[in-house]
Amino acid sequence: FTDIDECKLDNMPCTQGCNNTEGYFNCYCYPGYMMESDTVSCKGISCEVPFYGDNCKQTCDCNGRGSCNTVKGCVCDVNWTGVNCDIDVDECALPDACPEGQLCENTNGSFTCSCPIGYIMEGGFCKDVDECFSLLTNGTCNLQTEVCINTVGSYRCECKHGY
């Protein structure tokens, strides 16, 4: 005998989705809807929070980092991902997380930008610290016998002529 594909009939028996099987068919509901007891109809209302998914059988637990969508499950806040919003997004792996020349540090649910050693944050940008100016007070170079030379991000002490 030849199988009739009930899912392709003009009067398909299912209200949402249909899978043809040998000699029969199975109905299914779209995610967020529940199958009625007649096994061909889907409830016209969506799942109630915290339930979602096929036949409302899955439970949302977004860990306070998102909200429950009755069709898709957890919709995570920015900086969080994963089925339960429990995976921190590493913003430092994203291009242009911090301005050029700054260091990016990923934190739980966020990130920070800072300047490398030898630089100071000024107006949102890293500016080279003139260590020679600040060294006048801490005595790292012996200013009687040495000259302090400021370099990008650092400094060096060089002997004065004759030393």
Side-chain angles (χ1 to χ4, degrees):
F1 83 95
T2 303
D3 179 54
I4 297 172
D5 187 346
E6 295 87 357
C7 298
K8 291 186 178 176
L9 296 175
D10 287 338
N11 60 344
M12 180 186 74
C14 304
T15 59
Q16 290 189 3
C18 182
N19 287 322
N20 187 55
T21 60
E22 190 70 34
Y24 198 64
F25 62 92
N26 291 313
C27 297
Y28 64 89
C29 298
Y30 300 137
Y33 293 84
M34 183 177 268
M35 182 66 70
E36 295 279 8
S37 58
D38 65 6
T39 68
V40 295
S41 306
C42 298
K43 280 187 180 180
I45 58 170
S46 63
C47 304
E48 291 185 25
V49 173
F51 300 102
Y52 76 99
D54 293 331
N55 290 318
C56 304
K57 289 182 180 175
Q58 295 172 288
T59 305
C60 276
D61 179 9
C62 305
N63 292 302
R65 300 177 184 133
S67 59
C68 184
N69 177 292
T70 57
V71 175
K72 298 188 257 181
C74 288
V75 177
C76 301
D77 295 339
V78 175
N79 304 331
W80 293 99
T81 189
V83 173
N84 298 316
C85 303
D86 55 352
I87 300 171
D88 175 50
V89 172
D90 184 358
E91 296 84 3
C92 295
L94 302 173
D96 303 323
C98 292
E100 188 176 340
Q102 292 187 16
L103 305 174
C104 186
E105 181 183 352
N106 190 53
T107 60
N108 212 11
S110 190
F111 70 102
T112 59
C113 298
S114 61
C115 296
I117 294 172
Y119 293 83
I120 190 166
M121 185 73 72
E122 217 174 78
F125 297 97
C126 293
K127 181 182 175 192
D128 180 46
V129 172
D130 184 351
E131 291 87 358
C132 293
F133 178 75
S134 62
L135 290 176
L136 292 176
T137 58
N138 73 12
T140 302
C141 288
N142 180 343
L143 297 179
Q144 291 180 347
T145 60
E146 298 174 312
V147 175
C148 183
I149 308 291
N150 188 53
T151 62
V152 177
S154 190
Y155 71 97
R156 69 178 182 270
C157 299
E158 290 186 358
C159 294
K160 289 183 177 181
H161 292 292
Y163 288 95

